[in-house]
Amino acid sequence: MRRTDQADHGPPTGHGPLRYAPTLPGTGRPVPEGTARALAAAVDGPAEPVGGGPWLRDAACGYWARRGFAVRRHQVAAAPGGAVLLLALAAALGGDVLLPRPCAAWWIPEARLLGRTAYPVPTPAECGGVPDPYALLETVRRVRAEGGDPRLLVLAVADDPTGTVAPPEVLHEAVEAAAGAGLHIVSDETWRDTVHPGPDGPGPVLADPAGMLPDGVTVLIDLAGALLPGAWPAAVARFPATDRGAALHDLVLDVLAGTGAFLATPVAAAAAHALTEPAGVTAPGSAAARVHGVLAAAVHRELRRAGALALPPRAGRHLYADLGPLRAALTARGVGDAQELEDHLSGLLGTPTPGGHRFGDDLGALRVRLATEPFLGATAPERAATLDAAEPLAEPPVRDALTRFAAALDGLRTDARRREPRR
């Protein structure tokens, strides 16, 4: 596999075939009854038009209006999943793609499938999801000097895989750099509604790139983040209210039509229902965000206690750990890269633990994404009890899972200390 500090031109070889790419971490809660009823009621409905029907697009407009954005129906497009919609956007925009490193696992394949080059850009020290502005400008300069044609930057304020939220000032600098370099931005806001609340109130401020650069940002949301189960693929995009935005919208619809990327009618009905945000969707969603935030913080504490590195998670149902400080102990167990670490931890913890190479990170770095869903419990009743609990860490399945996780890390930490060279 090529190192990710170089351009990525093709499908991965050797470690981690693309077909084994990780899915979005699940919420662990059942589908809300109203959403399930909306899907069931539409099983005999007419085929959904390309880009979504009026009801679905109007629901998306209402979703954004409640967040302060006046959006018209003709600015919205829907597709069966975020990856499909990003593929259509990349095809419509043309040129090469720039991505923060690490980034969501489903961002990279779109450039590869189109035969485009994806250039990774380092992220700032305080968060993932957005590029360091100076590194972004230098990457654009270098790519253009070598004959490349960078046109698209994909970023995420609430990030997968790191679980961080970019501070407004950091995001503003990245957006300014992208605008100065003439890049169109796709803002992946899949995780925006999963920000962890603080102990005494709301969580971190979620700044909006489109508010900073209205004419140069397309917003994309995969509804599997907060509104729909991952098995019901649906995503929506909001295009700039400009002539260029309208032209991009039309090109995206052409790509979706040409690839047969039509939403299934029942899924479109469920998506429209969820986007109206009835209490039956928002209440359990907010409760899940709180519980997953508590679990993520507990996992983060265990990682730091064992000597691993990880930024504090602020959104989503995951966090990103660097086990480089434990390399000596892992080497003794036959673990020398991210794929081997994925295999080792997946077996040790009994749950898929994708390595950082799946998120565009260096194969040689010992990094993994950890999901919080496995800590909820092994059965549906256990998961439901944890998600409803006022003190989720007191639930027996959670205590047991955290104890097993801590024991696995303790074994690595003890072995790593034993292998440290004596002074």
Side-chain angles (χ1 to χ4, degrees), residues 269-412:
H273 173 83
L275 282 164
T276 63
E277 299 183 288
V281 170
T282 58
S286 297
R290 180 188 69 83
V291 171
H292 282 282
V294 170
L295 295 177
V299 173
H300 182 259
R301 286 193 295 271
E302 294 297 339
L303 287 165
R304 298 293 291 149
R305 189 175 64 85
L309 305 174
L311 290 170
R314 299 288 185 239
R317 303 181 286 271
H318 52 274
L319 64 167
Y320 198 60
D322 184 348
L323 274 64
L326 305 174
R327 182 177 288 275
L330 288 164
T331 299
R333 290 163 167 79
V335 176
D337 63 24
Q339 179 63 54
E340 292 168 349
L341 181 61
E342 173 183 309
D343 296 340
H344 178 72
L345 287 182
S346 296
L348 189 64
L349 302 176
T351 186
T353 309
H357 61 302
R358 300 194 183 277
F359 307 98
D361 221 333
D362 197 350
L363 178 64
L366 297 177
R367 300 184 184 123
V368 292
R369 186 187 71 183
L370 295 161
T372 49
E373 183 184 11
F375 292 88
L376 293 171
T379 66
E382 288 178 348
R383 292 190 290 270
T386 301
L387 289 167
D388 290 338
E391 299 291 340
L393 298 184
E395 293 295 306
V398 176
R399 289 201 312 267
D400 292 345
L402 285 172
T403 298
R404 290 193 299 271
F405 181 69
L409 292 177
D410 285 343
L412 290 173

Side-chain angles (χ1 to χ4, degrees), residues 35-48 55 232 263-270:
T35 306
R37 285 196 299 270
L39 181 134
V43 293
D44 293 323
E48 194 76 2
W55 184 25
W232 301 1
L263 265 171
T265 298
V267 174

Side-chain angles (χ1 to χ4, degrees), residues 11-416:
T13 58
H15 292 285
L18 184 61
R19 63 183 176 275
Y20 299 134
T23 58
L24 297 183
T27 184
R29 65 184 176 94
V31 178
E33 289 184 7
T35 306
R37 285 196 299 270
L39 181 134
V43 293
D44 293 323
E48 194 76 2
V50 63
W55 184 25
L56 172 56
R57 287 181 287 137
D58 285 346
C61 290
Y63 170 92
W64 278 306
R66 290 187 291 276
R67 287 153 180 80
F69 290 91
V71 183
R72 304 290 294 275
R73 183 190 293 172
H74 65 269
Q75 292 174 249
V76 178
V84 174
L85 202 42
L86 182 57
L87 177 69
L89 279 161
L93 285 163
D96 300 321
V97 181
L98 294 107
L99 305 170
R101 184 180 62 192
C103 68
W106 55 275
W107 291 0
I108 302 172
E110 280 58 54
R112 292 173 175 165
L113 291 169
L114 292 168
R116 309 279 170 72
T117 305
Y119 292 94
V121 184
T123 55
E126 53 265 70
C127 66
V130 300
D132 176 89
Y134 300 103
L136 175 64
L137 292 174
E138 175 56 25
T139 302
V140 171
R141 184 203 64 77
R142 175 176 57 82
V143 171
R144 286 178 175 156
E146 295 173 354
D149 183 24
R151 298 187 194 178
L152 169 62
L153 168 66
V154 188
L155 55 76
V157 182
D159 180 46
D160 174 16
T162 66
T164 58
V165 172
E169 62 275 12
V170 172
L171 176 65
H172 190 268
E173 291 177 358
V175 170
E176 278 194 334
L183 303 175
H184 188 82
I185 295 173
V186 169
S187 175
D188 175 10
E189 300 186 2
T190 295
W191 299 102
R192 69 161 294 136
D193 295 323
T194 66
V195 170
H196 306 158
D200 301 313
V205 174
L206 199 88
D208 198 308
M212 300 174 180
L213 189 67
D215 297 343
V217 177
T218 297
V219 175
L220 183 155
I221 301 176
D222 191 310
L223 301 188
L227 296 175
L228 286 180
W232 301 1
V236 291
R238 182 182 92 226
F239 294 81
T242 62
D243 290 342
R244 185 178 176 215
L248 178 59
H249 175 271
D250 291 345
L251 284 172
V252 165
L253 292 186
D254 287 342
V255 175
L256 294 174
T259 55
F262 295 82
L263 265 171
T265 298
V267 174
H273 173 83
L275 282 164
T276 63
E277 299 183 288
V281 170
T282 58
S286 297
R290 180 188 69 83
V291 171
H292 282 282
V294 170
L295 295 177
V299 173
H300 182 259
R301 286 193 295 271
E302 294 297 339
L303 287 165
R304 298 293 291 149
R305 189 175 64 85
L309 305 174
L311 290 170
R314 299 288 185 239
R317 303 181 286 271
H318 52 274
L319 64 167
Y320 198 60
D322 184 348
L323 274 64
L326 305 174
R327 182 177 288 275
L330 288 164
T331 299
R333 290 163 167 79
V335 176
D337 63 24
Q339 179 63 54
E340 292 168 349
L341 181 61
E342 173 183 309
D343 296 340
H344 178 72
L345 287 182
S346 296
L348 189 64
L349 302 176
T351 186
T353 309
H357 61 302
R358 300 194 183 277
F359 307 98
D361 221 333
D362 197 350
L363 178 64
L366 297 177
R367 300 184 184 123
V368 292
R369 186 187 71 183
L370 295 161
T372 49
E373 183 184 11
F375 292 88
L376 293 171
T379 66
E382 288 178 348
R383 292 190 290 270
T386 301
L387 289 167
D388 290 338
E391 299 291 340
L393 298 184
E395 293 295 306
V398 176
R399 289 201 312 267
D400 292 345
L402 285 172
T403 298
R404 290 193 299 271
F405 181 69
L409 292 177
D410 285 343
L412 290 173
R413 179 183 59 175
T414 301
D415 198 6

